[in-house]
């Protein structure tokens, strides 16, 4: 059975963003091995990711503002090629100090993708297909993370972690070619779905974006601080606390993205009961806090299974919140706001949290220990719940 063009476009966008995660997390998935290979500290290895997240978050905001002016066909193609080259160069240099600059370039190119993909989906899909796009695109992060950590575990088992960078480089080139070959065929007719009336509504209501950004910036920063803190440092936490071999710690970390794949479905399920996006995020943070509390309470016990389960459910809930902020909110409100702008700016705030997370938690681990890192994640989660509840009361009162 032949898929209609709208479904094919959603699949193509899914393929682009999923593969981009392999190109951007190839370093983070092997951060323990890279630290040992170059003989550098946790904070130094974390600084590379900080460079990436800083430019990625800043780029999201800039590209959210400018994405309407981009030729998406060639822009996305170019970004994928640049990321491919950065992965290839990273593993073929001997100077660790240069790596952060390569990853800075990689982050700048990757920052264009999400805003551009959300923009093209909002311009080409009707409301029925938007629902499909929200669910499908919500699985990209978890799926890409699962594959990059899964492959990294295999390559570490055979003592050749460098292979993941070559896989990422080749995959990104293949996807770039598929994108540029299929784009015109899929998009040409679909753009007529968005009529003039919808465009006028979006133009009139652009001022509301400021209120949305103020409301969800705290959620976005806190979400990625916890989400990427777990994703990037769980192998190191397991290695430090439970003294697990590198390949096995990465393999066990696969539980995080595997569970996170269900985050989109969980967000959609909760949204059926809780229509207010602000309250929805608070509820999801509250549940994740319970799991983080369990880890902290049992921090001195030999309970690897409980720790992994708690991390897995926390990852799922963080993926749900991320999907609400960067996918559901922009696409469901496409009739009122510029979806590309809203997705870009909110995603930019997410990566402000990532910037603090990777370097900050690595620095805390260097100066103290991983127990303090876990306490930090728990405190952030509790604080954002309090802020969210206060925000909900204020927003309910002014009826934004």
């Amino acid at each position: 059975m032949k898929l209609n063009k709208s479904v094919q476009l959603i699949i193509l966008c899914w393929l682009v963003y999923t593969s981009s995660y392999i190109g951007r997390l190839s370093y983070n998935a092997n951060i323990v091995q890279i630290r040992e290979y170059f003989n550098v500290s946790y904070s130094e290895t974390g600084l590379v990711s900080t460079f990436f997240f800083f430019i990625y978050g800043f780029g999201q905001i800039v590209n959210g503002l400018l994405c309407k002016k981009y030729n998406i066909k060639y822009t996305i193609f170019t970004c994928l090629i640049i990321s491919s080259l950065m992965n290839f160069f990273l593993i073929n240099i001997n100077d660790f100090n240069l790596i952060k600059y390569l990853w800075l370039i990689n982050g700048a190119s990757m920052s264009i993708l999400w805003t551009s993909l959300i923009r093209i989906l909002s311009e080409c899909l009707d409301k029925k297909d938007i629902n499909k796009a929200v669910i499908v695109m919500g699985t990209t992060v978890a799926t890409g993370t699962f594959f990059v950590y899964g492959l990294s575990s295999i390559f570490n088992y055979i003592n050749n972690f460098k292979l993941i960078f070559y896989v990422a480089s080749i995959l990104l080139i293949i996807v770039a070619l598929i994108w540029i070959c299929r784009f015109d065929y899929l998009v040409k007719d679909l753009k007529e779905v968005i009529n003039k009336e919808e465009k006028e509504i979006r133009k009139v209501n652009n001022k509301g974006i400021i209120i949305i950004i103020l409301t969800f910036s705290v959620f976005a920063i806190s979400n990625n601080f916890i989400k990427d803190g777990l994703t990037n440092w769980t192998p190191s936490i397991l290695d430090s606390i439970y003294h697990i071999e590198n390949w096995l710690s990465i393999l066990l970390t696969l539980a995080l993205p595997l569970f996170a794949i269900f985050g989109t479905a969980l967000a959609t399920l909760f949204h059926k009961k809780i229509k207010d996006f602000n309250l929805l995020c608070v509820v999801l943070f509250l549940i994740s806090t319970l799991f983080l509390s369990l880890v902290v309470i049992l921090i001195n016990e030999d309970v690897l299974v409980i720790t992994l389960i708690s991390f897995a459910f926390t990852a799922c809930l963080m993926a749900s919140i991320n999907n609400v902020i960067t996918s559901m909110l922009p696409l469901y409100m496409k009739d009122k706001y510029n979806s590309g702008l809203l997705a870009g700016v909110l995603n930019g705030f997410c990566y402000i949290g990532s910037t603090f997370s990777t370097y900050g938690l690595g620095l805390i681990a260097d100066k103290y220990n991983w127990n303090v890192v876990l306490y930090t994640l728990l405190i952030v989660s509790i604080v954002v719940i309090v802020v969210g509840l206060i925000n909900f009361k204020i927003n309910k009162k002014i009826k934004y």
Side-chain angles (χ1 to χ4, degrees), residues 32-62:
V32 174
Q33 293 71 35
I34 291 172
R35 185 181 69 84
E36 294 174 352
Y37 181 79
F38 287 99
N39 193 26
V40 293
S41 68
Y42 286 116
S43 57
E44 286 178 294
T45 50
L47 186 61
V48 175
S49 294
T50 298
F51 267 59
F52 177 95
F53 290 136
F54 172 78
I55 195 64
Y56 186 88
F58 179 75
Q60 284 282 315
I61 297 172
V62 173

Side-chain angles (χ1 to χ4, degrees), residues 4 48 80 128 171 180 217 241 245 272 283 286-287 292 321 349 352 393:
N4 60 46
V48 175
L80 293 174
K128 179 184 67 175
L171 176 64
I180 204 165
S217 59
I241 296 178
E245 292 184 34
K272 290 180 179 179
V283 170
L286 178 60
I287 300 173
L292 287 173
I321 297 167
F349 276 106
I352 292 175
K393 289 290 185 180

